[in-house]
Amino acid sequence: MSTKLLNIALADDDEDDRMLFSEAIEDISIRTKLSLFNHGQELMDYLNLPNVILPNLIFLDLNMPIKNGMQCLKEIRQNPDLKDLCIAIYSTSSSERDIEETFLNGANIYLNKPNNFGKLQDSVERILQLNWQYHTSNLNKDTFLFRI
């Protein structure tokens, strides 16, 4: 087990989803620090703070008020200081249009919100274990959509 701490951010407007995600992260073998945000604007305000410790991976819900996940994704990819962050789309949407649009706008992986806690835990752990440097250099539609 690695002693390195992974800095993870989750932006999701659903309180239950944030709680389940937080519990799933607590129960896996990877050491993490999780920062939770209620909507995309909260996340972007945090990412743009001076001297902020940037997350190793951001989980973005697509459908949020104030600033949605797609707006955050585009803003992050256009910002020279943030453009290399790893971004996992974490959404209930399984729409081909949403998957295609997030892929084209630079997300690294797309995870449909699992329908039970065990699948959520397994999915999050597997995503955190990915070798992101390898994963992003070989990114294609087959590796983009994370299947449980």
Side-chain angles (χ1 to χ4, degrees), residues 34-84:
L34 178 63
S35 301
L36 298 171
F37 302 93
N38 298 321
H39 53 75
Q41 189 60 55
E42 244 184 35
L43 170 70
M44 295 311 301
D45 290 346
Y46 171 78
L47 292 176
N48 287 303
L49 287 172
N51 305 316
V52 68
I53 296 172
L54 293 173
N56 301 99
L57 177 60
I58 298 170
F59 286 84
L60 268 181
D61 183 21
L62 282 180
N63 301 310
M64 297 182 283
I66 304 172
K67 185 171 282 193
N68 68 36
M70 187 63 71
Q71 291 167 315
C72 291
L73 174 62
K74 289 176 180 178
E75 194 173 320
I76 289 167
R77 291 299 183 236
Q78 291 169 358
N79 183 323
D81 297 327
L82 305 176
K83 68 179 178 58
D84 295 326

Side-chain angles (χ1 to χ4, degrees), residues 11 27 31 54-55 64 66-67 86 93 122 126 132 134:
D27 291 344
R31 293 185 58 229
L54 293 173
M64 297 182 283
I66 304 172
K67 185 171 282 193
C86 290
S93 171
D122 182 52
R126 287 176 41 207
W132 283 94
Y134 172 80

Side-chain angles (χ1 to χ4, degrees), residues 9-50:
L10 169 67
D12 194 323
D13 63 311
D14 187 295
E15 186 176 348
D16 291 337
D17 285 350
R18 287 193 311 272
M19 184 189 68
L20 285 172
F21 191 92
S22 182
E23 288 175 13
I25 285 234
E26 284 175 17
D27 291 344
I28 62 178
S29 61
I30 299 166
R31 293 185 58 229
T32 59
K33 176 189 178 288
L34 178 63
S35 301
L36 298 171
F37 302 93
N38 298 321
H39 53 75
Q41 189 60 55
E42 244 184 35
L43 170 70
M44 295 311 301
D45 290 346
Y46 171 78
L47 292 176
N48 287 303
L49 287 172

Side-chain angles (χ1 to χ4, degrees), residues 3 5 29 34-35 43 55 69 85-86 97-98 102 105 129 142:
T3 56
L5 192 67
S29 61
L34 178 63
S35 301
L43 170 70
L85 291 174
C86 290
R97 184 174 172 273
D98 285 341
T102 54
N105 281 289
Q129 288 171 342
D142 294 329

